[in-house]
Amino acid sequence: IRAALDFGLIDALQQAPATIDDIQQTTGAAPRGLDLLIELLVANRVVTCAGDRIQLTPGFREALQFRDLLEARIAFADVVWPDFHALFNALLTDVPQFMARSRTFDLFRYDRCLVRTPENRAATEAWTRFTTCLTRYEAPAALDEIELDDVADLVDLGGNTGEFALAFCRRKAELRATVVDLPVVCDIGRDHIASNFPEQATRIRFWPCDLRRDALPAPGRAPPD
């Protein structure tokens, strides 16, 4: 699926069914490689073949409504799979050893979120991509269980890039939210909201701090720099 997305095959088939020749021109794949790709997509119910024409299955068309989640899950699987491949025996016999040697756990390094540097931002963006996408789909379910009638201000501790706060603000027009997280995470979140949801940017502020030692939001207190 990742290869089909990368090659633009999925986008092409969303428009209309295509022939093998059409797909070869779209992907630039070698004939034998394209045959293998199509066989894999057929086996996993992504496409079907009717004569020389290939089209997306109804089930996969439905799944594409959640393309951002699908792509995030594939990207996270790419991170996790090498650990399972190389360290599966340790996972079965010694979980602390697996965690110590796993590259996946190195991805979520919160110590890199404290000091603002280009390197720390890049490292933090690598995992906030996943948490942001997951929160986008989790938040509506959580909101259905929360009564907002008397709520005017929300403080979201460990609020990441503000996606959960965004869902609250969309649910209640007059609500204002403060997202509390580590400095680099807040920088990414502030840019995320301002770039993608500018209509909500004035209602969601970010409070960079370390919860273990820094002051939390309070009436009349301005966010730290």
Side-chain angles (χ1 to χ4, degrees):
I1 292 173
R2 178 181 177 183
L5 288 166
D6 289 346
F7 282 134
L9 173 58
I10 299 300
D11 291 314
L13 292 178
Q14 272 192 286
Q15 304 304 315
T19 65
I20 292 289
D21 288 341
D22 294 334
I23 293 173
Q24 189 162 10
Q25 291 181 13
T26 297
T27 63
R32 293 183 65 181
L34 184 58
D35 288 343
L36 174 60
L37 176 60
I38 292 172
E39 287 177 8
L40 290 169
L41 294 174
V42 169
N44 286 279
R45 303 185 298 280
V46 175
V47 303
T48 58
C49 296
D52 68 339
R53 299 186 71 77
I54 299 167
Q55 62 185 6
L56 297 178
T57 64
F60 192 74
R61 282 189 177 276
E62 185 175 354
L64 281 175
Q65 298 177 65
F66 312 100
R67 180 168 177 161
D68 56 343
L69 183 60
L70 176 65
E71 291 179 331
R73 287 170 65 92
I74 291 171
F76 189 63
D78 286 342
V79 174
V80 173
W81 166 244
D83 286 338
F84 278 83
H85 177 69
L87 303 172
F88 191 66
N89 288 353
L91 176 64
L92 297 178
T93 60
D94 190 340
V95 172
Q97 182 191 50
F98 172 80
M99 294 177 65
R101 297 170 59 190
S102 168
R103 295 179 61 188
T104 303
F105 288 94
D106 189 57
L107 177 67
F108 297 91
R109 284 274 304 275
Y110 299 130
D111 59 308
R112 295 173 178 154
C113 304
L114 293 167
V115 179
R116 293 175 168 106
T117 68
E119 295 77 15
N120 283 347
R121 174 153 182 151
T124 304
E125 285 176 336
W127 63 263
T128 54
R129 170 193 175 186
F130 302 131
T131 55
T132 297
C133 188
L134 183 61
T135 303
R136 185 174 303 138
Y137 288 94
E138 288 182 332
L143 280 172
D144 289 341
E145 304 300 321
I146 299 173
E147 178 57 61
L148 294 177
D149 287 348
D150 298 324
V151 178
D153 295 282
L154 165 76
V155 176
D156 188 1
L157 301 179
N160 209 259
T161 58
E163 197 73 29
F164 197 66
L166 175 67
F168 272 86
C169 289
R170 283 175 160 173
R171 184 69 62 94
K172 187 175 181 181
E174 60 273 25
L175 184 72
R176 303 184 71 85
T178 298
V179 177
V180 180
D181 216 306
L182 297 170
V184 178
V185 178
C186 283
D187 290 349
I188 294 169
R190 191 180 295 110
D191 291 345
H192 168 64
I193 297 297
S195 298
N196 299 297
F197 312 99
E199 72 283 359
Q200 304 290 354
T202 59
R203 299 171 57 203
I204 301 173
R205 67 172 181 169
F206 286 82
W207 189 283
C209 76
D210 185 338
L211 289 171
R212 298 169 298 181
R213 60 172 183 266
D214 297 331
L216 296 178
R221 181 179 294 164
D225 293 333

